[in-house]
Amino acid sequence: MKNPIEKTLLALAIITAAPFVLYALNFHGPISDKTSAWADLGSYLSGVFGSIFGFLSLVILLYTLHLTKEYNEKILKSTRHDSILNDFKWLCELLLSRLETKTFIKNHPDSKGKVFTILENDLSRYTVQHMLGHLDDNEFSSRVYKYAKIQVEKLKLESECILLKEIAIKIIHENDQNTKDLLTAVFMSMFDKNTRFWIYNYVALNDSELEQILFKLDSFCEIPIKKPTTIF
C-alpha cells in the first residue's frame, strides 16, 4: 500500500477501532439495557477520543505551521532571487549602454559604439600579416595577448571598469550556486567573447585588483579569433 492517502485512512481506521476493541475485550458480555452502562461507555469513548483528537489537532496545527513557514521561505527566496537578478541585469544593461555609445579611442570619432569590432578586425589582420598561423597554440596566444595589451593602451575605460567590478563582485560573492550560475550565464550572454577579451586586456594593464576578480570567473577571457590557417 504505497498511496499516502490509503495509509492515512488505514491509520485513522485503526485508531478509531482500537478503543472499541479494547473496551469489548475488557468488558465483554451481552449488550446492556442499563443506562449507567451506556453512560460509562460514553465517558470512556469521550475521554479516549477527546485525547486522541486533541493530539491530532496539535499535530495538524504544527504541520500547518511548518507548511506556512516553508511557503514563506520560498516566497522570500523567490523575491530575493528576482531582486538580485533585476539589479544585476540593470547593471549589465548600464555597462552595455556605455560601451555601445561612448567613443573610447582618442582621435577616432568613428570608433563610437564599434571600438571592439575595429580592434577585432585589426587583430585578425595582424595574425595573418605576421603569419602567426605556424605557431603552436601557446605561442600564438602569447603573441595575441601581447598585441592586445598594446592596442588597449589607447582606450578610456576607467568609469566602465568601476561598473564591471561591481558586476563581477556580485557574481563571485553570491552564496547560492544556482543564482551564481544564472548571473554568470546572464553576463556571458550580454557581453560577447570579443568584448570580454579587450576589456580584460585593458584591465590587466590598469587595474590589478579587478584582474584578479575577473580571473575567478570561468571563461571570462578567450581569444575571439581563430588561429589563421597556414598554407604551404
Side-chain angles (χ1 to χ4, degrees):
M1 187 180 298
K2 298 181 179 180
N3 192 321
I5 296 179
E6 292 180 356
K7 290 182 179 180
T8 302
L9 292 176
L10 177 61
L12 289 175
I14 293 173
I15 291 173
T16 302
F20 290 99
V21 173
L22 291 174
Y23 189 89
L25 291 174
N26 285 277
F27 305 102
H28 55 277
I31 297 177
S32 177
D33 57 357
K34 295 181 180 180
T35 304
S36 59
W38 287 99
D40 291 340
L41 176 62
S43 298
Y44 165 75
L45 294 178
S46 175
V48 171
F49 283 114
S51 299
I52 291 174
F53 288 132
F55 174 74
L56 290 178
S57 297
L58 177 61
V59 171
I60 293 172
L61 175 61
L62 292 175
Y63 183 65
T64 302
L65 292 174
H66 173 70
L67 291 179
T68 302
K69 181 181 178 182
E70 281 191 341
Y71 176 77
N72 289 337
E73 287 176 350
K74 288 180 179 179
I75 293 296
L76 289 174
K77 186 176 181 180
S78 176
T79 302
R80 175 183 177 276
H81 179 274
D82 291 342
S83 176
I84 290 174
L85 184 58
N86 290 334
D87 290 346
F88 185 79
K89 284 183 176 180
W90 180 82
L91 284 173
C92 289
E93 289 169 355
L94 180 59
L95 176 57
L96 191 62
S97 175
R98 294 180 70 102
L99 293 174
E100 290 177 345
T101 58
K102 187 175 179 180
T103 301
F104 293 116
I105 302 179
K106 296 177 181 178
N107 303 320
H108 283 271
D110 60 333
S111 68
K112 183 176 182 180
K114 55 184 180 180
V115 59
F116 300 120
T117 301
I118 294 173
L119 291 174
E120 181 184 19
N121 292 337
D122 289 344
L123 177 59
S124 296
R125 284 193 294 270
Y126 168 79
T127 59
V128 172
Q129 291 171 359
H130 290 75
M131 296 181 291
L132 301 189
H134 71 282
L135 301 175
D136 61 44
D137 291 344
N138 289 334
E139 182 63 23
F140 174 76
S141 296
S142 177
R143 292 282 295 274
V144 166
Y145 278 105
K146 183 177 180 180
Y147 170 84
K149 285 180 173 59
I150 295 173
Q151 297 304 305
V152 296
E153 289 178 353
K154 54 193 172 185
L155 300 185
K156 299 180 296 181
L157 294 171
E158 291 82 2
S159 59
E160 285 70 30
C161 282
I162 295 174
L163 277 174
L164 178 60
K165 183 180 292 186
E166 187 172 352
I167 291 170
I169 288 175
K170 282 184 176 294
I171 296 176
I172 293 172
H173 289 178
E174 176 55 48
N175 294 322
D176 183 77
Q177 188 59 47
N178 290 332
T179 303
K180 186 173 185 177
D181 292 341
L182 178 59
L183 297 182
T184 302
V186 169
F187 179 80
M188 295 299 184
S189 66
M190 294 183 69
F191 299 90
D192 60 38
K193 181 165 60 175
N194 184 53
T195 300
R196 298 198 307 270
F197 172 78
W198 294 106
I199 290 178
Y200 179 83
N201 281 281
Y202 176 87
V203 168
L205 283 178
N206 298 280
D207 192 334
S208 59
E209 181 184 355
L210 179 54
E211 181 186 13
Q212 292 300 316
I213 294 174
L214 297 181
F215 186 76
K216 296 177 183 179
L217 299 179
D218 295 337
S219 303
F220 179 87
C221 181
E222 300 177 51
I223 295 177
I225 62 171
K226 295 181 179 179
K227 185 167 66 173
T229 302
T230 302
I231 301 176
F232 296 96

